[in-house]
Amino acid sequence: IYTNHTIMISDCPTTVHGLQSIFQEQEMTETVHDTEGHGYLATFIGKNGRLVILRVTALGLLTIDLQCCEGDNIVQVENLLNTLEEKLRSLLHGNIKRVKRLPALTRGAAVDRYWPTADGRLVEYDIDRVVYDEDSAYQNIKIMHSRQFGNILILNGDVNLAESDLPYTQAIMGRGKENYAGKEVLILGGGDGGILAEAVKLNVYIDQMVIDGCRTHMRKACGSVLDNLKGECYQVLVEDCVPVLKKYVEEGKTFDYVINDLTAVPISTAPEEDSTWEFLQLILDLSIKVLRPTGKYFTQGNSANLTETLALYEEQLGRLSCPVDFSKEVVCVPSYMELWVFYTIWKK
């Protein structure tokens, strides 16, 4: 368990000396570290395994990090934190610009509850158990249960879809503005089955192990559509979508709708992202080629906060072999805990 206090102070020596007495009362051993003139740094270790890191920067920022082990007396820990905070207020005579106590972080737990948002913020989910955890030839596939969002599909550490995330499925299908009855729809990705459960006549290309996990553990999202890979009005193809798309282009096969649920837009143009941008460009070009003149292409973008990333994607749309127009919509996806951008693209 890791908790943190952050305080702005002005009198470092007096403050540190006052806090030392509290740690001595706790029978904690002090070690002062050389910061080469950059403030003050000390660690305090208790007999019960508690560790306190006390740091004061040259700018007057004081942080107290307290770490304790599972089984420690949480009431005693809270009392220690309260005592430290009261002592600081007394020492500084109320001249504290800001005090912030952060919730405890749990490290090394059997169930990992911390997952990053697309724009780099750390989110703690109310996850209480792992219901599926397997590695396919392509990715790690986890399905974890959240008391708030139901089961959540996580691929390679990226939150993909929860059973609560119907707004995602609705957004990537046009938010109820489209009539899919009697239409031919091509879905790329969509292994969770959410889009398939909402659509009518389609072909899908996905990871078999994603299907296996979601068929059992994500039924609130996919219903029964993944129980069989072929139904009266759909067929699921577990294949690489690129050669199949190329085959459709050669055959002149076209669709009323193409829904791309393969991957979000990369967050940068760094060299390690080059292959993903190239893949997106290829998928876009091939998808537009198999789109009928009045057809529409739906896809996700990324977090609404990543404005530069989304601008780069929109630049890519202007470089396609076939000229296109587009519109976008911002939707709150429950389990993402952030606003997400979705695109509708069509031929000019």
Side-chain angles (χ1 to χ4, degrees):
I1 298 174
Y2 168 95
T3 190
N4 173 282
H5 262 61
T6 302
I7 299 173
M8 296 298 294
I9 68 172
S10 57
D11 188 351
C12 176
T14 302
T15 304
V16 169
H17 180 73
L19 294 177
Q20 284 172 329
S21 63
I22 295 177
F23 297 126
Q24 289 167 0
E25 291 171 4
Q26 295 281 324
E27 299 183 342
M28 303 185 81
T29 303
E30 178 184 17
T31 302
V32 178
H33 303 271
D34 183 9
T35 63
E36 299 182 352
H38 297 286
Y40 174 86
L41 174 65
T43 53
F44 301 84
I45 300 176
K47 296 177 181 178
N48 53 6
R50 289 179 196 160
L51 169 66
V52 173
I53 303 171
L54 172 62
R55 179 173 188 134
V56 185
T57 70
L59 297 176
L61 175 66
L62 181 148
T63 60
I64 302 174
D65 300 328
L66 170 60
Q67 300 180 27
C68 58
C69 300
E70 186 176 11
D72 202 343
N73 189 315
I74 300 302
V75 174
Q76 291 182 5
V77 171
E78 286 294 324
N79 288 339
L80 174 56
L81 293 172
N82 291 336
T83 301
L84 287 167
E85 192 169 320
E86 290 170 5
K87 186 68 172 180
L88 282 165
R89 292 185 186 278
S90 173
L91 289 168
L92 299 172
H93 311 291
N95 296 322
I96 300 176
K97 294 182 180 179
R98 184 173 69 251
V99 179
K100 180 71 173 181
R101 185 187 298 188
L102 302 179
L105 300 178
T106 303
R107 295 172 170 174
V111 177
D112 186 359
R113 297 186 299 175
Y114 303 100
W115 300 93
T117 59
D119 58 356
R121 293 172 290 112
L122 184 64
V123 173
E124 180 177 4
Y125 286 84
D126 58 348
I127 292 172
D128 54 15
R129 66 182 184 275
V130 179
V131 298
Y132 185 86
D133 189 356
E134 298 288 343
D135 289 309
S136 74
Y138 313 101
Q139 58 202 331
N140 173 257
I141 305 160
K142 283 185 177 67
I143 299 177
M144 310 181 83
H145 179 263
S146 158
R147 294 189 296 275
Q148 184 175 188
F149 302 119
N151 286 345
I152 304 175
L153 174 65
I154 301 173
L155 302 178
N156 283 343
D158 181 36
V159 174
N160 269 240
L161 191 80
E163 291 179 312
S164 63
D165 292 346
L166 183 59
Y168 177 99
T169 302
Q170 292 173 333
I172 206 169
M173 294 183 68
R175 300 279 287 177
K177 301 172 186 175
E178 306 297 326
N179 179 11
Y180 287 90
K183 302 293 178 62
E184 287 195 87
V185 182
L186 174 66
I187 295 179
L188 309 175
D192 51 73
I195 299 172
L196 178 56
E198 297 292 319
V200 179
K201 189 175 184 180
L202 41 120
N203 293 286
V204 191
Y205 312 98
I206 40 186
D207 185 337
Q208 179 65 56
M209 291 187 68
V210 174
I211 294 175
D212 294 341
C214 292
R215 176 192 293 132
T216 302
H217 303 293
M218 298 282 290
R219 294 190 77 84
K220 289 183 181 178
C222 68
S224 61
V225 294
L226 295 181
D227 291 348
N228 297 291
L229 298 185
K230 189 171 184 177
E232 292 183 2
C233 61
Y234 69 89
Q235 180 180 6
V236 178
L237 302 180
V238 186
E239 300 179 31
D240 182 346
C241 69
V242 173
V244 177
L245 277 170
K246 289 180 177 179
K247 177 173 175 288
Y248 283 161
V249 171
E250 292 174 0
E251 295 175 348
K253 173 73 173 175
T254 57
F255 297 87
D256 297 291
Y257 296 97
V258 177
I259 303 174
N260 179 2
D261 194 30
L262 289 166
T263 183
V265 174
I267 63 173
S268 75
T269 55
E272 58 268 23
E273 298 281 17
D274 284 350
S275 61
T276 307
W277 280 110
E278 290 171 4
F279 176 72
L280 280 178
Q281 181 84 29
L282 176 62
I283 294 299
L284 271 166
D285 262 324
L286 291 172
S287 296
I288 296 302
K289 287 178 180 177
V290 300
L291 200 61
R292 289 172 184 163
T294 58
K296 291 182 180 179
Y297 174 90
F298 295 115
T299 188
Q300 61 169 315
N302 210 307
S303 168
N305 285 343
L306 298 176
T307 53
E308 292 183 7
T309 292
L310 298 172
L312 287 170
Y313 179 71
E314 290 166 19
E315 286 180 15
Q316 294 288 325
L317 297 180
R319 299 172 184 166
L320 297 177
S321 57
C322 175
V324 298
D325 276 331
F326 69 90
S327 63
K328 56 186 175 182
E329 183 174 12
V330 178
V331 174
C332 181
V333 180
S335 75
Y336 289 14
M337 299 194 198
E338 59 185 323
L339 297 177
W340 209 252
V341 176
F342 293 84
Y343 286 91
T344 302
I345 301 167
W346 59 92
K347 295 178 179 179
K348 285 186 178 180

